[in-house]
Amino acid sequence: IGWNFKLSKILILSNGHGEDLSGSFLARKLIQMGHQVEALPIVGNGNVYKNNKIKVVCKTREFSTGGLGYNSIQGRISDIFNGQIIYFFKKLLLTFFIRKDYQYFLVVGDIVPIVFAWLCRKKFFVYLVAYSSHYEGKLRLPWPLKQILSSNRLQNLYTRDFLTSKDLAKQLNRKVCFYGNPFMGSFLNRDKQFKKSVFNIILLPGSRMPELINNLYLIINVLEDLAKYKYFENIEFNVAMINSCSPDKVISIFSSYKWVLNKNKISNEFLVMQYKFITVNFRWNSFEESLLTSDLVLGMAGTATEQAVGLNKPVIQIEGAGPQFTKLFADAQRRLLGKYIFCVTKYKNKKEKIEKTSELIIKILYFISLDKNFLKSCKENSKQRIGEIHSSNRVAIDIDYIIDKN
């Protein structure tokens, strides 16, 4: 691979935060191999590309839901009124106008960027991260995806899990590969880097404002309910925060709930809030470390939850109001990621939901502490649903090999 002299200019089309994350890892690897790679994020601000010094070829804009999918009706209507459909068509036109600048397109996502690549009549690769046979047992591809994925212009198709690769190989009568998920790339070679001493629960409120704030309120309710149990005096809680939610904002939210700021432990990227004996550490720019050192995840997130499963972590969801992390989204996520994603789904009111979530946390802590097979099963589930961390580079390696053969 290091001696490949047949290099190409590649455009990555991705549509969503998680898709951009995967696209950026693929881009970095392909650039290391000598290819020239640029990105066109269809949804979102594309910051992950910019942060990795990958050229973004268009102006970007973020919508509240992060794109199409399992979003609330209000979220979809809001995005339409904010110009999402017009924005998509502008991106399609741009892709068509610049198509001749590239030898290959690399699609990361769903039907939208795949149709973009097909209409531009380019040779293209697809990492089909948005679809899985785990949702319904057999993948029902929306029209005209089956026809496009049977096209000779498609150089290779990569899926997000093993079951989907088997299912699509049968449906399309072509080779379909499962090589792991590139969004796990940030955890490569970091497995044993961090030391930890106490049992650690990470809280993932999501990555989009203002939904993140509403999710934090729900998480506060759960934490305050856990204060009924003395057991949690010895549990460490960490929150991985995004930069658009500042320390001042966190202090304001928690102070309104009678939480107290620990003034001895505060910096630009770290602060501690306390309620009775419950202590919560908020960290900025240390997501990977926080997730790696956790024992259990309390999550209302998309890709971050998938990464947690990829690291063999059990996850507890709290159903939110959306627009992204809704009851429908949480249900789809459980089908996608397997039986080690837990959630309270039957409750009469918010109070009952909070209390039952606290009881569920205690139950999972019991499994982790006393059932030796529980974490082994989490690891086996991770292999099937996400793949090995160390295989996350194999998609880029395969793309490089195919380009060299052409």
Side-chain angles (χ1 to χ4, degrees):
I1 291 152
W3 296 97
N4 180 7
F5 295 108
K6 197 170 183 180
L7 305 173
S8 295
K9 190 172 181 184
I10 302 165
L11 180 67
I12 295 183
L13 297 169
S14 56
N15 64 326
H17 170 74
E19 288 81 354
D20 290 357
L21 184 64
S22 290
S24 72
F25 285 121
L26 288 169
R28 275 166 48 192
K29 191 68 183 172
L30 289 165
I31 289 167
Q32 285 171 15
M33 294 167 175
H35 300 282
Q36 189 178 345
V37 185
E38 295 175 350
L40 197 157
I42 297 168
V43 174
N45 52 33
N47 281 345
V48 68
Y49 288 116
K50 297 167 190 172
N51 294 342
N52 284 288
K53 297 182 172 55
I54 295 149
K55 183 181 175 184
V56 173
V57 299
C58 59
K59 289 181 180 177
T60 58
R61 178 181 172 189
E62 186 157 33
F63 292 89
S64 62
T65 63
L68 304 172
Y70 289 95
N71 302 313
S72 66
I73 297 296
Q74 296 97 319
R76 290 181 194 176
I77 291 169
S78 169
D79 279 355
I80 288 166
F81 276 103
N82 284 325
Q84 190 183 77
I85 302 300
I86 294 166
Y87 184 77
F88 275 178
F89 278 110
K90 283 182 177 176
K91 287 288 179 75
L92 174 56
L93 279 173
L94 173 63
T95 309
F96 188 78
F97 287 138
I98 65 175
R99 70 193 187 284
K100 291 181 181 175
D101 295 341
Y102 306 92
Q103 282 83 42
Y104 296 93
F105 283 1
L106 168 54
V107 174
V108 182
D110 60 11
I111 189 168
V112 175
I114 292 171
V115 168
F116 277 29
W118 183 68
L119 289 173
C120 290
R121 302 185 68 81
K122 300 297 293 185
K123 289 182 178 178
F124 64 102
F125 297 86
V126 172
Y127 164 44
L128 200 66
V129 68
Y131 298 112
S132 173
S133 303
H134 283 294
Y135 288 128
E136 295 177 28
K138 181 182 177 182
L139 188 53
R140 291 176 173 83
L141 293 169
W143 183 88
L145 207 48
K146 193 168 184 176
Q147 291 76 9
I148 295 173
L149 296 179
S150 301
S151 159
N152 290 332
R153 291 201 295 273
L154 177 60
Q155 304 299 291
N156 212 358
L157 175 60
Y158 310 95
T159 62
R160 56 162 302 124
D161 54 56
F162 179 66
L163 181 65
T164 309
S165 67
K166 280 190 1 182
D167 181 15
L168 284 184
K170 194 174 176 182
Q171 285 193 49
L172 301 171
N173 195 27
R174 69 175 298 156
K175 179 185 172 188
V176 181
C177 303
F178 170 53
Y179 288 147
N181 284 282
F183 58 70
M184 295 304 298
S186 56
F187 300 98
L188 274 169
N189 307 318
R190 299 184 71 162
D191 306 60
K192 297 172 183 175
Q193 201 173 348
F194 306 108
K195 291 181 180 177
K196 51 171 288 187
S197 52
V198 296
F199 195 93
N200 180 325
I201 298 177
I202 187 172
L203 314 172
L204 300 175
S207 60
R208 290 190 185 90
M209 300 284 276
E211 181 175 357
L212 179 151
I213 303 298
N214 295 327
N215 292 348
L216 268 181
Y217 287 131
L218 264 177
I219 289 169
I220 288 170
N221 294 150
V222 173
L223 291 170
E224 290 182 355
D225 194 62
L226 291 176
K228 295 187 301 193
Y229 306 99
K230 196 74 173 168
Y231 177 82
F232 289 92
E233 193 170 16
N234 300 314
I235 301 287
E236 183 178 292
F237 293 93
N238 290 295
V239 189
M241 294 301 297
I242 58 170
N243 288 326
S244 54
C245 187
S246 67
D248 287 343
K249 184 71 178 171
V250 170
I251 292 167
S252 169
I253 291 166
F254 275 72
S255 297
S256 68
Y257 273 77
K258 298 181 181 175
W259 286 64
V260 178
L261 173 68
N262 186 332
K263 292 180 180 175
N264 297 320
K265 296 179 180 178
I266 187 167
S267 71
N268 290 335
E269 295 190 341
F270 181 77
L271 66 86
V272 178
M273 299 297 295
Q274 291 175 301
Y275 175 82
K276 297 182 180 178
F277 53 76
I278 300 281
T279 300
V280 181
N281 305 312
F282 290 85
R283 303 175 193 274
W284 283 259
N285 301 315
S286 64
F287 167 72
E288 286 85 5
E289 177 184 351
S290 298
L291 189 55
L292 275 167
T293 55
S294 66
D295 298 287
L296 175 62
V297 177
L298 186 62
M300 303 180 73
T303 303
T305 300
E306 294 174 32
Q307 290 172 309
V309 171
L311 294 171
N312 316 321
K313 313 288 183 184
V315 175
I316 295 173
Q317 303 168 316
I318 311 173
E319 294 176 344
Q324 189 205 29
F325 203 86
T326 58
K327 188 179 185 74
L328 190 64
F329 185 98
D331 175 66
Q333 189 178 70
R334 288 194 300 280
R335 283 182 279 137
L336 175 68
L337 297 176
K339 62 181 181 179
Y340 295 95
I341 308 283
F342 304 91
C343 187
V344 172
T345 58
K346 293 178 181 176
Y347 45 86
K348 293 171 188 169
N349 50 46
K350 181 182 170 184
K351 183 174 182 289
E352 188 178 353
K353 176 166 80 169
I354 298 303
E355 289 172 351
K356 283 187 171 182
T357 300
S358 295
E359 290 165 9
L360 181 59
I361 291 169
I362 293 166
K363 181 180 176 182
I364 302 308
L365 289 177
Y366 173 86
F367 283 140
I368 293 169
S369 304
L370 299 176
D371 184 349
K372 290 179 182 177
N373 292 319
F374 181 76
L375 291 177
K376 283 182 189 173
S377 300
C378 286
K379 191 170 184 178
E380 195 53 46
N381 179 68
S382 167
K383 277 185 193 175
Q384 293 293 321
R385 303 295 176 124
I386 302 293
E388 297 278 3
I389 295 176
H390 298 284
S391 68
S392 54
N393 280 334
R394 286 181 61 195
V395 174
I397 291 167
D398 192 63
I399 290 169
D400 178 73
Y401 174 74
I402 291 169
I403 289 172
D404 192 37
K405 267 197 329 183
N406 284 349

